[in-house]
Amino acid sequence: MALKKMDDLTPVHYDVLREIGNIGQGNAATALAAFSNKLVTIDVPNVRVLDITQAIEYLGGPENIVTGILVRLRGDINGMMLTILQSGFVKNLIEMVFSRTPADQFDLSEIETSFVQEIGNILSGSYLNAISSLSGMCTDVSVPYVTTDMVGAILAVPAVEFAEIGSKVLFIDDCFTFSEGFHDKVYTASRSNMILIPELQSLEDLFTRLSIPV
Amino acid sequence: MVIVSIADLKTVVGEDVLVTYALGSCVGICLRDDVNKVSGLAHIMLPWSKTASEDEQNMRRFADTGITELMQQMVDQGAKSRNITAKLAGGAQMFGVASAAFNIGERNIQAVQKVLETYKIPVAASDLGGNYARTIYFHTVDGKLEVRSATKPTIFI
């Protein structure tokens, strides 16, 4: 049996994707800790298949302003990966690294914008590394495209490009908590979301590589 | 206030406000018969329905089939197609100019304009292109289209 649509995924498939999410988030936390010089703890990521409308609602409604970082995937896995950073995440990062509190996500200097772009790059790279270390699949990543705007318009981009998969996406919920140490009571939690839109064939190849029946 | 979600369409008779949120590369098509006071709004995502897969459920996603259905619903509610005029917004290129491959916005604009031409519907005003998202409020009382965005001042066209 072949994967015809995202809805065909079974609980075993979800477990695999959650595990990839777990490893990816671990990699991302290590990188964020190096950047911010803080202790970064993570929750177990939540992996779901959502349609675009549900994902938009989940991310705060169509008009919520977020920063989206888009990379294209080519190679053993084809598709797109979209990192969504909520305003709180962007502000926290800028505060920790540049010691400055921006008024909003638009209030960023050139170097700060480039830094945010790099964070998106690191986050998506972390997941792709998790996939390749588990499965041995090799994927090229495009340069990251970044925009800060309404989440409804940002999510429409993958929806439009991958219309043939029925507008469903793989939605990974991350929560990173930054603190000075384990006993520190002052911490900031930041949410980010990874949205993976693989071609179904790539997803099927991934499961085949891992000897999981599809 | 009537909210039109992505890849959907709605019509109203008389005074009301039709709203659709966060048009990126999507195009919002606002049609209005000023004589019979019938108005409608469609939020399309893709240009042509011939690209649809076999099990496509929602033909409102496409410019051609979306506009056709919107026209049909308006006529059913008493509009005359010779009275209908259009206002358009959206068709942006999100993620900047570096991503030419994603430029679906421009293709959407062209498709919408072509379909409206076939139906002989004049475009009274439009706010198209750019690289930012728009939320639109179509005030059917006077046909004004209010365009809001995150960083630009609100305009009425």
Side-chain angles (χ1 to χ4, degrees), chain A residues 5 52-53 56 62-63 65 68-70 72 80 82 106 145-154 156-161 163-164 166-167, chain B residues 5-6 21-26 45-46 53 55-56 61 94-96 98-99 101-104 108 131-135 137 148-151:
Chain A
K5 48 185 195 305
I52 294 285
T53 324
I56 291 172
E63 286 195 291
I65 307 291
I69 301 128
L70 181 78
R72 280 175 168 278
M80 269 186 196
L82 185 59
F106 295 106
Y145 302 108
V146 186
T147 192
T148 296
D149 214 320
M150 300 181 198
V151 69
I154 289 176
V157 173
V160 160
E161 285 238 348
E164 71 271 21
S167 299
Chain B
S5 39
I6 186 164
Y21 299 111
L23 291 161
S25 59
C26 299
M45 295 175 77
L46 291 161
S53 62
D55 54 350
E56 177 62 57
R61 285 150 58 100
M94 304 304 290
F95 293 102
S99 55
F102 306 144
N103 201 359
I104 192 80
N108 279 337
N131 60 357
Y132 57 94
R134 298 166 172 90
T135 283
Y137 295 79
R148 296 189 191 176
S149 67
T151 47

Side-chain angles (χ1 to χ4, degrees), chain A residues 132-205:
Chain A
S132 54
S133 61
L134 271 183
S135 67
M137 292 171 97
C138 190
T139 300
D140 283 335
V141 182
S142 74
V143 293
Y145 302 108
V146 186
T147 192
T148 296
D149 214 320
M150 300 181 198
V151 69
I154 289 176
L155 277 196
V157 173
V160 160
E161 285 238 348
F162 290 85
E164 71 271 21
I165 62 166
S167 299
K168 296 263 185 183
V169 297
L170 206 60
F171 194 86
I172 306 167
D173 237 341
D174 287 333
C175 187
F176 299 99
T177 306
F178 299 86
S179 61
E180 296 298 337
F182 275 114
H183 303 293
D184 182 15
K185 295 222 164 39
V186 188
Y187 60 86
T188 31
S190 294
R191 292 205 158 276
S192 72
N193 294 92
M194 299 299 307
I195 297 167
L196 182 60
I197 313 107
E199 286 176 5
L200 280 175
Q201 186 58 50
S202 306
L203 211 48
E204 200 179 317
D205 292 347

